């Protein structure tokens, strides 16, 4: 728990992670431990949900390259190389775009992080 007068991106990421994990635990209780009923974008992957994992891949690249804008085909190549699907990438981009953290241009060729 952290007390602050502003919300950082890490706070949003943690809130999303907690929401996904709580939904997952509820579905596990309802359906049993092996039949969680989650769609392809909500399955856990190494302790993190898929959406957060994909976001972190893209964000880590953005930080390392010191670029707020990344080509979509590069994003696709990175996440596919890590074992995710193009559909999972697009669901991730849609979710974080709706949160105002990143945006995809009209031609869907670039992903840009929004400075806050």
């Amino acid at each position: 728990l952290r007390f602050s007068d502003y919300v950082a991106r890490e706070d949003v990421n943690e809130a999303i992670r907690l929401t996904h994990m709580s939904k997952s635990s509820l579905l596990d209780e309802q359906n049993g431990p092996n039949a969680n009923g989650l769609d392809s974008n909500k399955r856990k992957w190494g302790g993190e949900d898929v959406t957060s994992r994909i976001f972190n891949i893209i964000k880590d690249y953005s930080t390392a390259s010191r670029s707020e804008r990344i080509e979509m085909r590069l994003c696709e190549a990175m996440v596919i190389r890590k074992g995710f699907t193009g559909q999972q990438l697009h669901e991730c981009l849609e979710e974080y775009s709706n949160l105002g953290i990143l945006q995809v241009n009209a031609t869907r060729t670039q992903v840009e992080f929004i400075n806050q």
Side-chain angles (χ1 to χ4, degrees):
L1 190 59
R2 154 179 112 72
F3 297 100
S4 179
D5 292 333
Y6 69 94
V7 176
R9 286 186 186 189
E10 292 79 21
D11 298 330
V12 174
N13 289 341
E14 181 65 6
I16 291 169
R17 186 189 70 78
L18 290 171
T19 301
H20 290 305
M21 296 305 285
S22 66
K23 286 180 184 178
S24 175
S25 68
L26 285 174
L27 289 172
D28 284 348
E29 287 176 12
Q30 291 173 354
N31 300 325
N34 295 323
N36 63 11
L38 297 174
D39 68 19
S40 65
N41 198 38
K42 304 301 180 197
R43 287 189 199 112
K44 287 188 260 182
W45 185 283
E48 267 185 315
D49 67 272
V50 171
T51 303
S52 296
R53 183 82 185 261
I54 291 172
F55 175 79
N56 288 332
I57 291 168
I58 297 167
K59 184 63 179 164
D60 290 346
Y61 178 83
S62 172
T63 302
S65 66
R66 296 183 180 157
S67 175
E68 296 295 315
R69 186 173 294 160
I70 305 170
E71 294 289 326
M72 178 67 79
R73 62 184 168 190
L74 178 59
C75 292
E76 290 171 343
M78 287 188 298
V79 300
I80 289 171
R81 189 176 316 123
K82 296 283 186 176
F84 301 104
T85 66
Q87 178 64 33
Q88 289 171 323
L89 169 64
H90 295 295
E91 290 172 3
C92 170
L93 295 175
E94 182 178 332
E95 183 167 335
Y96 280 92
S97 179
N98 290 339
L99 292 170
I101 295 173
L102 57 77
Q103 62 187 12
V104 179
N105 67 350
T107 57
R108 300 197 59 80
T109 57
Q110 294 184 339
V111 176
E112 183 173 3
F113 287 91
I114 300 171
N115 292 328
Q116 296 177 341

